[in-house]
Amino acid sequence: MRVRRWLEGPFPSACGLCGTGVGPGEALCAGCLAELERVVAPCPRCGEPDTVAGPCPRCRDREPRLAALHAPWRYTWPLDRLILARKHADDATAARVLRELARRAAVELADARRAVEQGPDCVVPVPLHPERYRERGFNQALELAREAARVLEAPLAARLVVRVRATESQQGLGRRERRRNVARAFALRPGAEFPEAARVLLVDDVATTGATLDALAEVLYAAGAARVEALTLARA
Ligand SMILES: [Zn+2]
Ligand SMILES: [Zn+2]
């Protein structure tokens, strides 16, 4: 991680959570980073925490479209607050912390993979509906995907898929409703060139049931993707 510091400029900054001074370009102190709750023993397919071995019972029952979900942290305090603060309050400090976490999550993924297989051919942020994008002025998934693409040295494909349906918020919906809510919500952008047999890494801030990521994976497999995985900061 430290070799990346020079990219960030020479000015020391403060931890985005506790205000302690941190090194140049860093957004979180070591203490706060260590306090983020890790996902322990995740299901390799959906990231469900505390899975004993292999896929969780739910994934064995109904195989997800997504080949794998990598999510290092639990969606608990303070990460949940940071994600909401970024999304709904356009909080610049939260944005800075989340970008650093995306970078760290991508480094972990790269380290875990390096010996085993190649990295992704492209990194795809979960798109916002254009209307929501206009309201918000940014897509937080894109900010995280940009960091992941840089670490993984893979092209960022921010315009490959589009959200064609403005879906209701997934909040408060059950597993089945979530699936129904995002069905046919995404499509390949008309005229988009999809790399042949590509291994795609989807990026989002948080995965809850995985319904959104699965709906996107469906679209990408239909377009000829060889493997679709996802990286999120948090797993609810
Ligand atoms: Zn701190
Ligand atoms: Zn699972």
Side-chain angles (χ1 to χ4, degrees), residues 15-20 22 28-33:
C15 171
L17 283 172
C18 73
T20 300
V22 292
L28 263 183
C29 73
C32 287
L33 182 66

Side-chain angles (χ1 to χ4, degrees), residues 42-48 51 54-60 62 64 235:
C43 165
R45 297 301 296 273
C46 74
E48 170 88 5
T51 301
C56 71
R58 201 173 283 129
C59 288
R60 265 179 278 153
R62 182 180 191 283
R235 178 63 164 78

Side-chain angles (χ1 to χ4, degrees), residues 8-16 19-29 96 100:
E8 310 283 340
F11 305 107
S13 47
C15 171
T20 300
V22 292
E26 292 185 348
L28 263 183
C29 73
R96 190 165 66 92
E100 173 160 344

